[in-house]
Amino acid sequence: MRILLLNGNTSESITQALVAEAQRSAAPDTVIVATRCARGAEVVASRSAEVVAANAMIEAIAAFKEPYDAVLVAISFDTAVSALRELLSVPVIGMTEAACHVATMVGSRFGVVLPGERNAAIYRERIVACGFEPRLAGMRVIGSSAAALYADPDSAVVSIRIAAKALIDEERCDAVVLAGAALVGLQRRIQPEISVPLIDGIACGIGMLESLVRLNFPKPKSGSYAVPASAQLQNIDPALAALFAYPAALQP
Amino acid sequence: MRILLLNGNTSESITQALVAEAQRSAAPDTVIVATRCARGAEVVASRSAEVVAANAMIEAIAAFKEPYDAVLVAISFDTAVSALRELLSVPVIGMTEAACHVATMVGSRFGVVLPGERNAAIYRERIVACGFEPRLAGMRVIGSSAAALYADPDSAVVSIRIAAKALIDEERCDAVVLAGAALVGLQRRIQPEISVPLIDGIACGIGMLESLVRLNFPKPKSGSYAVPASAQLQNIDPALAALFAYPAALQP
Amino acid sequence: MRILLLNGNTSESITQALVAEAQRSAAPDTVIVATRCARGAEVVASRSAEVVAANAMIEAIAAFKEPYDAVLVAISFDTAVSALRELLSVPVIGMTEAACHVATMVGSRFGVVLPGERNAAIYRERIVACGFEPRLAGMRVIGSSAAALYADPDSAVVSIRIAAKALIDEERCDAVVLAGAALVGLQRRIQPEISVPLIDGIACGIGMLESLVRLNFPKPKSGSYAVPASAQLQNIDPALAALFAYPAALQP
Amino acid sequence: MRILLLNGNTSESITQALVAEAQRSAAPDTVIVATRCARGAEVVASRSAEVVAANAMIEAIAAFKEPYDAVLVAISFDTAVSALRELLSVPVIGMTEAACHVATMVGSRFGVVLPGERNAAIYRERIVACGFEPRLAGMRVIGSSAAALYADPDSAVVSIRIAAKALIDEERCDAVVLAGAALVGLQRRIQPEISVPLIDGIACGIGMLESLVRLNFPKPKSGSYAVPASAQLQNIDPALAALFAYPAALQP
Amino acid sequence: MRILLLNGNTSESITQALVAEAQRSAAPDTVIVATRCARGAEVVASRSAEVVAANAMIEAIAAFKEPYDAVLVAISFDTAVSALRELLSVPVIGMTEAACHVATMVGSRFGVVLPGERNAAIYRERIVACGFEPRLAGMRVIGSSAAALYADPDSAVVSIRIAAKALIDEERCDAVVLAGAALVGLQRRIQPEISVPLIDGIACGIGMLESLVRLNFPKPKSGSYAVPASAQLQNIDPALAALFAYPAALQP
Amino acid sequence: MRILLLNGNTSESITQALVAEAQRSAAPDTVIVATRCARGAEVVASRSAEVVAANAMIEAIAAFKEPYDAVLVAISFDTAVSALRELLSVPVIGMTEAACHVATMVGSRFGVVLPGERNAAIYRERIVACGFEPRLAGMRVIGSSAAALYADPDSAVVSIRIAAKALIDEERCDAVVLAGAALVGLQRRIQPEISVPLIDGIACGIGMLESLVRLNFPKPKSGSYAVPASAQLQNIDPALAALFAYPAALQP
């Protein structure tokens, strides 16, 4: 099985860290292939940069010519997940929704540690959109931005540990989701000191996709995730235009 | 006051219809200026085409050099509204959220008539995201797509009338929102036969924006709608890159 | 356009303050006319006094013989809004629901600063009734009552500022609603020091009503906001009795 | 124990029917005393008539000089319940909220049969306000108004039976609430043919109040149900004014 | 009327305390009979021990041969309530759901004081299942377990008092539910110092059942609470097997 | 990896069918081991039989001495899942919650086809408890009971097909969950004619558990899923008593 890890950030070093975590998490016979956006932000840190990333992610999919069986959206806002799920016939999951699914399989309510005050509302909106709010116990913000934490992982570790403990003590959560692609892998250093599962979206996303691939559902033929009708989009990247003109072409 | 109507579709004729409706709805001293996406779909009809439209809408804003006091997102999925609200210092509203606000000012619960089976989930997700679901009485789908209805307005009128009456009788709604930019203006032909307000997003959006401009709130300095930090986005349209590099430049 | 500001309190000085704020907020061609309850409490401060105010407000409407195009319910419990919306053919809005509408147009979640511990539950019930609870981030109480704060505006300014900052820092809200008719206008002194929009119901109510008047919806002919059947109410004020006997008479 | 049945309608015959049902439901040592509004509508049938009724109900309480241990609000909109609960030191319950409490004690979800299309939204708002919506399976409307059904009970029986069966079959409810004070007692004729409990608010209200009286809770000293501060309300009925001036006087 | 108090714990001393509280709360003509589990935990303190208790409770019912008119589930997780409600034709209520019903009859939102960190999620899940979450203001945990508090009631009184006051001050609740069968009766010592009703499930459960018995609803003939079909359960206690084989035998 | 399939029914033939489906769904290196209740109902069909099954399931776990890495609760009411999750250190999932997780990974809202009118409320309560209700589009009931459908699979196939199509057409769901352990495997015959994924809990449960085992979270040390304190349960099966006395013994 080949899972395509699609990074919505342009950072090559974050992509490598994400791939490394994905490989640590994957089953022995799962191959991780990866691509990243050819344009946009090093680290997406705003609602507007996310819009650019979403478009660039679809372009990256249109440009990616190797085979794959599933797509892991490796940006913690779960950017473009529903668009890709519609467009492709293979399973698609976002790293944060995957973490929330797993969190609700291991406990009653979960907390979220996330980087950057301005991102708190964005993550909450994502959780509401997925319908997980009844299971959300609380959120804690660390650091000023994902990029700042990425630049100083030792400091990030300290902050995450404090925030996770606060969620457990004050909100009584049974699991803690660690949001933010830039923080990938840090949960492995912090888990030993935390009394409940510390949940990373990449590891969860790989697991969920391995299951979905094996479940082998047909592509929907009705509803909002059916293959869209062929459309002539103008003035866009030719590979992207071809994807919209022949959306069935990507389907097996 | 100058309101910028930003069409997420590339269709010039729909843009003209939207502007005409906006002008009919506006106060005497409101000037409607308009722009549309330079690339993407004639009529956005899928989650994936919406992603392309969102990016193109931010490009269109970056390219639009005339002054304006507010932005009406004139595509009924409310595409890119939160990104634009973050990026700009002027008020931004989507036509569907505006319609829902007004619907809940005139009655207890509202219904939604919308074009195209595959769009029903998308509109519902938008309504949930806005928090209006407690006031949503039901939805009815007409036609196969917005484009098909746009091409045959007389038939659309008949379908909308039947669907609106079904919502009133079966779901007991006190107002009916007519979703779909392509259907703009048809409510004027149908309202006389409908027993509750038939609500169009363009008229409502203009009204809400006129109020917001007059309220003259400061641009948030904290939270997820504060001006984002300057960011170097790569390989994108130069005007768009400038917008991300100097996000404050668009602020008064 | 003439908007009738209907104060549910009997206080003339608060009425004047409300009118002054309404005039500051209104479009140039909007005329504010006002009336207040002829009986009841100076400042409504309980659920039971609100019941008396509601009745007195309908009496005040029955007694008010000048023309108007819309009614702003200028008491922050939004007293009698649904009754007046049913009875009248012109748009009616409450100041607190108007503030909540606007708050959700400018940010993700909002906080509420309100006077008097005993009022917190009443405002929450109002917000739940309107369906805005999914967007409510938190509430903070200042002072012992609206009347006490009204008597000492300098102290109120200090308390509001502290409470608003607490909501922003601790609940991460993107907007703060300032509830309480007696506090009207104070937001103008406090806004400069607050990092998100500070929202007053009178200004918002005027804006929403200006839009609704321009939208010019027909009076519903079905549902719970249609004109009620003529009813013979006994032993009530004659003008009020006439209003119930000929409810259509107030309709254009 | 003496329970005061307070009818929000002025109809003497409905009051007698309500008292008769209350007496059939009460424990042997419970005495039912009753009063009704001295002004307002024979049968409240609109949001605006309810406002008049609410004021008249507080007046009726102020005028009622016999002792009582609890108040049953015997109007199915539960008019003025929270105001009376605040003002009095004895337990107060509304007939519809009482029915909903009981319905959720005997089954998983309940349905509601109610008179008059225009009332459906009002009952739903009441159920939402009480927090029972998660347990509401559906609603069915019968007849044009409560008054019309009251005038033809045999026809009402047929309509209720059909509606209750539809709720059971189509919404799979485990209990059916029969709303509408004018329909009081009809459940006794219909229950034998209905496969789940058919629930009447008067019988439930008596039962809940008997329990609350025995539980003998202290009047709250904090929060929104504490005794309000003494207030000078002007131009109102003297007995009512006295009630507001000395709210503690009604407390034991 | 005879109410069967069914203790899900095997502790005889707690059973006696529960019966004493029930007798203090009951109407003069109500007789309390009681039984407890013949096997399982002295004090149920985990999700798994609750499963054993649930089975033992049904066995206890099967073994109990005296007549009774209603069943009070006297274990604060409301263990096996829905199973017993299905199986029996008499009313069944759990002590915690009964307390929540009463709490919402006396105030706007309620708080919960409960023993043992690990139980907080269990009580919350119960409250969500009952649909009371919209009325839940907050929870506070005292002590390490119910058993520890039961062993030291003076210390428990201090802790409950502090927790109840915190809920009132910080969450602005209008009532406080005291959860935990082992704490039964302590509310009588603490109430005088608490400004809102302090609510105990046993007293409330008795009251609700007295009402339900008097309401005399028929056993449902449809839905999930109808008498289940006769079933041959193997390798179980003979009295229990007889109950499943002839479920109608327990019905009047 | 060894997954223990724990059937809450005593039927050996259903157990074999469940194991067969589990094996079809599992990864090549996953070994399915199975056990079933030694006592209780052939096919659990009521809330009360479920209580007996829950106890028997814990006994079966206590009696099962082979090693395993995870537990799949193979009874569609997800009986005893939270108790087992608390008691064991390995991952535990219920087949219906697993199906709901997967359903929300492939579409916007899902429908449920389920056997037996009386079970509809039970499944809905389970979905509410898991927090999936915001994603539930609707439910359809087929047949009189799971046992009846199991006895006539050809007829069951016809009924499921009709019900699934109704959910897709009338509720616009993007996925259909087929509930009921007795129906296991039928989805393979029906899927080809259904336009959206038809989701079976066994296949999903195996997939989710394979992921959870690989994620290798530590057993919680706090909260409601930490190992419970040692408890002396009396008069129970010795193996079960040992499990409660030394709950850590089952932990790695």
Side-chain angles (χ1 to χ4, degrees):
Chain A
M1 180 187 317
R2 294 165 61 90
I3 294 178
L4 172 58
L5 184 152
L6 172 58
N7 187 2
N9 303 296
T10 64
S11 164
E12 176 58 21
S13 69
I14 291 181
T15 305
Q16 288 176 3
L18 292 164
V19 168
E21 181 64 29
Q23 285 169 335
R24 278 191 295 270
S25 311
D29 58 344
T30 298
V31 176
I32 307 296
V33 293
T35 192
R36 56 186 168 90
C37 290
R39 45 190 180 133
E42 274 278 305
V43 180
V44 171
S46 65
R47 297 173 187 273
S48 42
E50 195 194 0
V51 166
V52 175
N55 191 68
M57 287 167 76
I58 302 190
E59 289 178 345
I61 284 286
F64 192 81
K65 297 304 184 195
E66 299 172 42
Y68 51 88
D69 300 295
V71 175
L72 174 57
V73 168
I75 170 170
S76 62
F77 292 162
D78 290 355
T79 308
V81 159
S82 62
L84 291 166
R85 194 174 281 156
E86 171 199 79
L87 209 52
L88 305 179
S89 65
V90 299
V92 177
I93 206 161
M95 61 184 284
T96 295
E97 67 175 328
C100 293
H101 277 289
V102 169
T104 57
M105 290 179 207
V106 301
S108 188
R109 295 203 304 164
F110 66 95
V112 179
V113 176
L114 65 103
E117 283 291 337
R118 69 178 304 134
N119 297 326
I122 301 175
Y123 286 113
R124 180 180 289 274
E125 288 165 5
R126 177 70 186 143
I127 288 166
V128 169
C130 288
F132 285 116
E133 208 192 20
R135 305 288 291 270
L136 176 67
M139 307 178 90
R140 290 294 181 280
V141 175
I142 53 167
S144 58
S145 71
L149 291 160
Y150 180 68
D152 185 357
D154 288 343
S155 170
V157 161
V158 173
S159 298
I160 295 166
R161 194 184 294 144
I162 293 169
K165 288 185 177 179
L167 281 167
I168 295 166
D169 290 349
E170 296 163 16
E171 311 289 355
R172 293 190 196 96
C173 61
D174 289 331
V176 174
V177 168
L178 181 52
L183 308 180
V184 69
L186 295 185
Q187 83 283 0
R188 295 180 181 264
R189 290 174 57 186
I190 302 164
Q191 175 72 77
E193 295 177 68
I194 300 298
S195 63
V196 302
L198 190 54
I199 296 179
D200 165 71
I202 293 297
C204 296
I206 294 293
M208 296 298 103
L209 289 175
E210 289 173 337
S211 298
L212 287 169
V213 169
R214 202 162 286 121
L215 284 162
N216 193 30
F217 293 122
K219 174 72 179 174
K221 294 183 194 66
S222 70
S224 71
Y225 288 104
V227 180
S230 170
Q232 308 301 321
L233 270 61
Q234 295 174 317
N235 299 326
I236 61 171
D237 173 78
L240 190 58
L243 182 55
F244 279 98
Y246 308 102
L250 265 187
Q251 321 299 331
Chain B
M1 179 186 319
R2 293 165 60 89
I3 293 178
L4 172 57
L5 184 153
L6 172 59
N7 186 2
N9 303 297
T10 63
S11 164
E12 177 57 22
S13 68
I14 290 181
T15 305
Q16 288 177 3
L18 293 164
V19 168
E21 180 64 29
Q23 285 168 336
R24 278 190 295 268
S25 311
D29 58 345
T30 298
V31 175
I32 307 297
V33 292
T35 192
R36 57 186 167 90
C37 290
R39 46 190 180 132
E42 275 278 306
V43 181
V44 171
S46 65
R47 297 173 187 272
S48 42
E50 196 194 359
V51 165
V52 174
N55 191 69
M57 287 167 76
I58 302 190
E59 289 178 345
I61 283 286
F64 193 80
K65 297 304 182 194
E66 299 171 42
Y68 52 87
D69 300 294
V71 175
L72 174 58
V73 168
I75 170 171
S76 62
F77 293 163
D78 289 356
T79 308
V81 160
S82 62
L84 291 166
R85 194 173 281 155
E86 171 200 77
L87 209 53
L88 304 179
S89 65
V90 299
V92 177
I93 205 161
M95 60 184 287
T96 296
E97 67 176 327
C100 293
H101 277 289
V102 169
T104 58
M105 291 179 206
V106 302
S108 189
R109 296 202 305 164
F110 65 95
V112 179
V113 176
L114 65 103
E117 282 292 335
R118 67 179 303 134
N119 297 327
I122 301 175
Y123 286 112
R124 180 179 290 273
E125 287 165 6
R126 177 69 186 145
I127 288 167
V128 168
C130 288
F132 284 117
E133 207 192 20
R135 305 288 292 271
L136 176 66
M139 307 178 90
R140 289 295 181 279
V141 175
I142 52 166
S144 58
S145 72
L149 291 160
Y150 180 68
D152 184 358
D154 288 343
S155 169
V157 162
V158 173
S159 298
I160 295 166
R161 193 183 295 144
I162 293 169
K165 288 185 177 180
L167 282 166
I168 295 166
D169 291 348
E170 296 164 16
E171 312 289 355
R172 293 189 196 97
C173 61
D174 289 332
V176 174
V177 168
L178 181 51
L183 308 181
V184 69
L186 294 186
Q187 83 282 0
R188 295 180 182 263
R189 291 174 57 184
I190 302 164
Q191 176 71 78
E193 295 177 69
I194 301 297
S195 63
V196 302
L198 190 54
I199 297 179
D200 165 71
I202 292 297
C204 295
I206 294 292
M208 296 299 103
L209 288 174
E210 289 173 337
S211 298
L212 287 168
V213 170
R214 202 162 287 123
L215 284 162
N216 194 28
F217 294 122
K219 174 72 178 174
K221 294 184 194 65
S222 70
S224 70
Y225 288 104
V227 180
S230 170
Q232 307 301 321
L233 271 60
Q234 295 175 316
N235 300 326
I236 61 172
D237 172 77
L240 189 58
L243 182 55
F244 280 98
Y246 308 103
L250 266 186
Q251 321 300 330
Chain C
M1 181 186 319
R2 293 165 60 90
I3 294 178
L4 172 58
L5 183 152
L6 172 59
N7 186 2
N9 304 296
T10 64
S11 163
E12 177 57 23
S13 69
I14 291 181
T15 306
Q16 289 177 2
L18 292 165
V19 168
E21 181 64 28
Q23 285 169 335
R24 279 192 294 269
S25 311
D29 59 345
T30 298
V31 176
I32 307 296
V33 292
T35 191
R36 56 186 168 91
C37 290
R39 46 188 180 133
E42 274 279 305
V43 180
V44 171
S46 65
R47 297 173 187 271
S48 42
E50 194 194 1
V51 165
V52 175
N55 191 69
M57 288 168 75
I58 302 190
E59 289 177 346
I61 284 286
F64 192 81
K65 297 304 183 193
E66 300 171 40
Y68 50 88
D69 301 294
V71 175
L72 174 57
V73 169
I75 170 169
S76 62
F77 293 163
D78 289 357
T79 308
V81 160
S82 62
L84 292 166
R85 193 173 282 155
E86 171 200 77
L87 209 52
L88 304 178
S89 65
V90 299
V92 177
I93 206 161
M95 61 184 285
T96 296
E97 67 176 326
C100 293
H101 277 290
V102 169
T104 56
M105 291 179 207
V106 302
S108 187
R109 295 202 305 163
F110 66 95
V112 178
V113 176
L114 65 104
E117 283 292 334
R118 68 178 304 132
N119 298 326
I122 302 175
Y123 286 113
R124 179 179 290 274
E125 288 164 6
R126 177 69 186 144
I127 289 166
V128 168
C130 289
F132 285 116
E133 208 192 22
R135 305 288 291 270
L136 176 66
M139 307 179 90
R140 290 293 182 279
V141 174
I142 54 167
S144 58
S145 71
L149 291 160
Y150 180 68
D152 185 357
D154 289 342
S155 169
V157 161
V158 173
S159 298
I160 295 166
R161 193 184 295 143
I162 292 169
K165 289 185 176 177
L167 281 167
I168 295 165
D169 291 348
E170 297 164 15
E171 312 289 355
R172 292 190 196 96
C173 61
D174 289 330
V176 174
V177 169
L178 182 50
L183 307 181
V184 69
L186 295 185
Q187 82 283 0
R188 295 180 181 264
R189 290 173 57 184
I190 302 163
Q191 175 71 77
E193 295 177 69
I194 300 298
S195 62
V196 301
L198 190 54
I199 297 179
D200 165 71
I202 293 296
C204 296
I206 293 293
M208 296 298 103
L209 288 174
E210 289 173 336
S211 298
L212 287 169
V213 170
R214 201 162 287 121
L215 284 162
N216 194 29
F217 293 122
K219 173 72 178 175
K221 293 183 195 65
S222 70
S224 71
Y225 288 105
V227 180
S230 170
Q232 307 302 320
L233 270 60
Q234 295 175 316
N235 300 324
I236 61 171
D237 172 79
L240 190 58
L243 182 56
F244 280 97
Y246 308 102
L250 266 185
Q251 321 300 332
Chain D
M1 179 187 317
R2 293 165 61 90
I3 294 178
L4 173 57
L5 184 153
L6 172 58
N7 186 1
N9 304 296
T10 64
S11 163
E12 177 58 22
S13 69
I14 291 181
T15 305
Q16 288 178 2
L18 293 164
V19 168
E21 181 64 28
Q23 285 169 335
R24 279 192 293 269
S25 311
D29 59 344
T30 297
V31 176
I32 307 297
V33 292
T35 193
R36 55 188 169 88
C37 290
R39 46 190 181 130
E42 273 278 305
V43 180
V44 171
S46 65
R47 297 172 187 273
S48 42
E50 194 194 0
V51 165
V52 175
N55 190 69
M57 287 166 76
I58 302 190
E59 289 177 346
I61 284 286
F64 192 80
K65 296 306 182 193
E66 299 171 42
Y68 51 86
D69 301 293
V71 175
L72 174 57
V73 169
I75 170 172
S76 61
F77 293 163
D78 290 356
T79 307
V81 160
S82 62
L84 291 167
R85 194 174 281 156
E86 171 200 78
L87 208 53
L88 304 179
S89 66
V90 299
V92 177
I93 206 161
M95 60 184 285
T96 296
E97 67 175 327
C100 293
H101 278 289
V102 169
T104 57
M105 291 179 207
V106 301
S108 188
R109 296 203 304 165
F110 65 95
V112 179
V113 176
L114 65 102
E117 283 292 336
R118 68 179 302 134
N119 297 327
I122 301 175
Y123 285 112
R124 179 179 290 274
E125 288 165 7
R126 176 70 186 144
I127 288 166
V128 168
C130 289
F132 285 115
E133 208 192 19
R135 305 288 290 271
L136 176 65
M139 307 179 91
R140 290 292 181 282
V141 175
I142 53 167
S144 57
S145 72
L149 291 160
Y150 180 68
D152 185 359
D154 288 342
S155 169
V157 162
V158 174
S159 298
I160 296 166
R161 193 183 296 144
I162 292 169
K165 288 185 177 178
L167 282 166
I168 295 166
D169 291 348
E170 296 164 17
E171 313 289 354
R172 293 190 196 96
C173 61
D174 289 332
V176 174
V177 169
L178 180 52
L183 308 180
V184 68
L186 294 185
Q187 83 283 0
R188 296 179 182 264
R189 290 173 58 185
I190 302 163
Q191 176 72 77
E193 295 178 67
I194 301 297
S195 63
V196 301
L198 189 55
I199 297 179
D200 165 70
I202 293 297
C204 296
I206 293 293
M208 297 297 103
L209 289 174
E210 288 173 337
S211 298
L212 287 168
V213 170
R214 204 162 286 123
L215 284 161
N216 194 29
F217 294 121
K219 174 73 178 174
K221 295 184 194 65
S222 70
S224 71
Y225 287 104
V227 180
S230 171
Q232 307 301 321
L233 270 62
Q234 296 174 317
N235 300 326
I236 62 171
D237 172 78
L240 190 57
L243 182 56
F244 280 99
Y246 308 101
L250 265 186
Q251 320 300 332
Chain E
M1 180 188 316
R2 294 165 61 90
I3 294 178
L4 172 57
L5 183 152
L6 172 58
N7 186 1
N9 304 296
T10 64
S11 164
E12 176 57 23
S13 69
I14 291 181
T15 306
Q16 289 177 3
L18 292 165
V19 168
E21 181 64 28
Q23 285 169 335
R24 279 192 294 270
S25 311
D29 58 344
T30 299
V31 176
I32 307 296
V33 292
T35 193
R36 56 187 168 91
C37 290
R39 45 190 181 132
E42 274 279 304
V43 181
V44 171
S46 65
R47 297 173 186 273
S48 42
E50 195 195 0
V51 165
V52 175
N55 191 69
M57 288 167 75
I58 301 190
E59 289 177 345
I61 284 286
F64 192 81
K65 297 304 182 193
E66 299 172 41
Y68 51 87
D69 301 295
V71 175
L72 173 57
V73 169
I75 170 170
S76 62
F77 293 163
D78 290 356
T79 307
V81 159
S82 62
L84 291 166
R85 193 173 282 155
E86 171 199 78
L87 209 52
L88 305 178
S89 65
V90 299
V92 177
I93 205 161
M95 60 184 285
T96 295
E97 68 175 326
C100 293
H101 277 289
V102 169
T104 57
M105 291 179 206
V106 301
S108 188
R109 294 202 307 164
F110 65 94
V112 178
V113 176
L114 65 103
E117 282 291 336
R118 67 180 302 134
N119 297 326
I122 301 176
Y123 285 112
R124 179 179 291 274
E125 288 164 6
R126 177 69 186 145
I127 289 166
V128 169
C130 289
F132 285 115
E133 208 191 21
R135 305 288 290 271
L136 176 66
M139 306 178 92
R140 290 294 181 280
V141 175
I142 54 166
S144 58
S145 71
L149 291 160
Y150 180 67
D152 185 358
D154 289 343
S155 169
V157 161
V158 174
S159 298
I160 295 167
R161 194 184 294 144
I162 292 169
K165 288 186 177 177
L167 281 167
I168 295 165
D169 291 348
E170 297 163 16
E171 312 289 355
R172 292 190 196 97
C173 61
D174 289 332
V176 174
V177 169
L178 180 52
L183 308 181
V184 69
L186 295 185
Q187 83 283 1
R188 295 180 183 264
R189 290 174 58 184
I190 302 163
Q191 175 72 77
E193 296 177 68
I194 300 298
S195 63
V196 302
L198 190 55
I199 296 179
D200 165 71
I202 293 296
C204 295
I206 294 293
M208 296 297 103
L209 288 175
E210 289 173 337
S211 298
L212 288 169
V213 169
R214 203 162 286 122
L215 285 162
N216 194 29
F217 294 122
K219 173 72 178 174
K221 293 184 194 64
S222 69
S224 71
Y225 288 104
V227 180
S230 171
Q232 307 302 320
L233 271 61
Q234 296 174 315
N235 301 325
I236 61 170
D237 173 78
L240 190 58
L243 183 55
F244 280 98
Y246 308 103
L250 266 185
Q251 321 299 331
Chain F
M1 179 186 319
R2 291 166 62 90
I3 294 178
L4 173 56
L5 183 152
L6 172 58
N7 186 1
N9 303 297
T10 63
S11 163
E12 177 57 23
S13 68
I14 291 181
T15 306
Q16 288 177 2
L18 293 164
V19 168
E21 180 65 28
Q23 285 169 334
R24 279 192 294 269
S25 312
D29 58 345
T30 298
V31 175
I32 307 297
V33 292
T35 192
R36 55 187 168 90
C37 290
R39 44 190 182 131
E42 274 278 305
V43 181
V44 172
S46 66
R47 297 173 187 272
S48 41
E50 194 194 1
V51 165
V52 174
N55 190 70
M57 288 167 75
I58 303 190
E59 289 176 346
I61 284 286
F64 192 80
K65 297 305 181 192
E66 300 172 40
Y68 51 88
D69 301 293
V71 176
L72 174 57
V73 168
I75 169 171
S76 62
F77 292 163
D78 289 356
T79 307
V81 159
S82 63
L84 292 166
R85 194 174 281 156
E86 171 199 78
L87 208 53
L88 304 178
S89 65
V90 299
V92 177
I93 206 161
M95 61 184 284
T96 296
E97 67 176 326
C100 294
H101 278 289
V102 169
T104 57
M105 291 179 206
V106 301
S108 188
R109 296 203 305 164
F110 65 95
V112 179
V113 176
L114 65 104
E117 282 292 335
R118 66 179 304 134
N119 297 326
I122 301 176
Y123 285 113
R124 180 180 290 273
E125 287 166 6
R126 176 70 187 145
I127 288 166
V128 168
C130 289
F132 285 116
E133 208 191 20
R135 306 287 290 271
L136 177 65
M139 306 178 90
R140 289 294 181 280
V141 175
I142 54 167
S144 57
S145 72
L149 292 160
Y150 180 68
D152 185 357
D154 289 342
S155 169
V157 162
V158 173
S159 298
I160 295 167
R161 194 184 293 144
I162 292 169
K165 288 185 178 178
L167 282 166
I168 295 165
D169 291 347
E170 296 164 17
E171 312 289 355
R172 292 188 197 97
C173 61
D174 290 331
V176 174
V177 169
L178 180 52
L183 308 181
V184 68
L186 295 185
Q187 83 283 0
R188 295 180 182 263
R189 290 173 57 184
I190 302 164
Q191 175 71 78
E193 295 177 68
I194 301 297
S195 63
V196 302
L198 189 55
I199 297 179
D200 165 71
I202 293 297
C204 296
I206 293 293
M208 295 298 103
L209 288 175
E210 288 172 338
S211 297
L212 287 169
V213 170
R214 202 162 285 122
L215 284 162
N216 194 29
F217 294 122
K219 173 72 178 175
K221 295 183 193 65
S222 70
S224 72
Y225 287 104
V227 180
S230 170
Q232 307 302 319
L233 269 61
Q234 295 175 315
N235 300 326
I236 61 170
D237 173 78
L240 190 58
L243 182 56
F244 279 98
Y246 307 102
L250 266 185
Q251 321 300 332

